[in-house]
Amino acid sequence: MRKGFDGLAALVRTRLGEEPLSGHLFAFANAARTRLKILFWDGSGLWVCSKRLERGRFHWPPPVGFDGQRPKIRLSAAELSMLLGGLDFSRAQKRDWWRREEC
């Protein structure tokens, strides 16, 4: 968790194969899952936000379809909110409900 703006942006490019200036949020956690950093491009600059838990751990979901090269997880806004709020969303049950299809 020592990396700053440039180090995290380099990780996004090399390890994840993504563009850090895309506008997506990129979250990183330490091995103990007690610290979290988020890298975000807002159009004019990079943001690095961090959170350290005093007790407990972040529940980090396992990568789906992990190919050994790019360990990435895609989260919805609701899942990210649950992750930051300390909820284990792998146990949560998603309800089917109607959503308008975008053309």
Side-chain angles (χ1 to χ4, degrees):
M1 295 308 291
R2 295 179 187 166
K3 294 192 185 316
F5 296 96
D6 296 329
L8 292 174
L11 275 177
V12 169
R13 283 190 185 100
T14 59
R15 293 284 315 271
L16 301 178
E18 300 284 340
E19 177 55 44
L21 307 183
S22 65
H24 296 286
L25 296 172
F26 298 96
F28 302 90
N30 64 345
R33 304 292 188 244
T34 57
R35 294 175 187 233
L36 181 86
K37 281 189 179 179
I38 295 178
L39 180 72
F40 172 66
W41 171 259
D42 71 356
S44 64
L46 284 170
W47 284 82
V48 174
C49 305
S50 63
K51 182 172 183 175
R52 180 187 72 202
L53 295 177
E54 296 300 322
R55 291 189 185 141
R57 297 171 185 228
F58 290 105
H59 172 75
W60 204 261
V64 177
F66 178 60
D67 62 4
Q69 298 295 332
R70 296 187 174 139
K72 47 186 163 180
I73 302 162
R74 296 193 186 274
L75 301 176
S76 68
E79 290 169 334
L80 177 63
S81 178
M82 288 191 279
L83 173 73
L84 296 175
L87 300 174
D88 180 356
F89 60 86
S90 67
R91 297 184 193 184
Q93 201 173 31
K94 188 174 181 183
R95 302 282 182 189
D96 290 332
W97 56 296
W98 183 82
R99 183 174 295 223
R100 183 179 176 178
E101 296 286 326
E102 294 191 30
C103 298

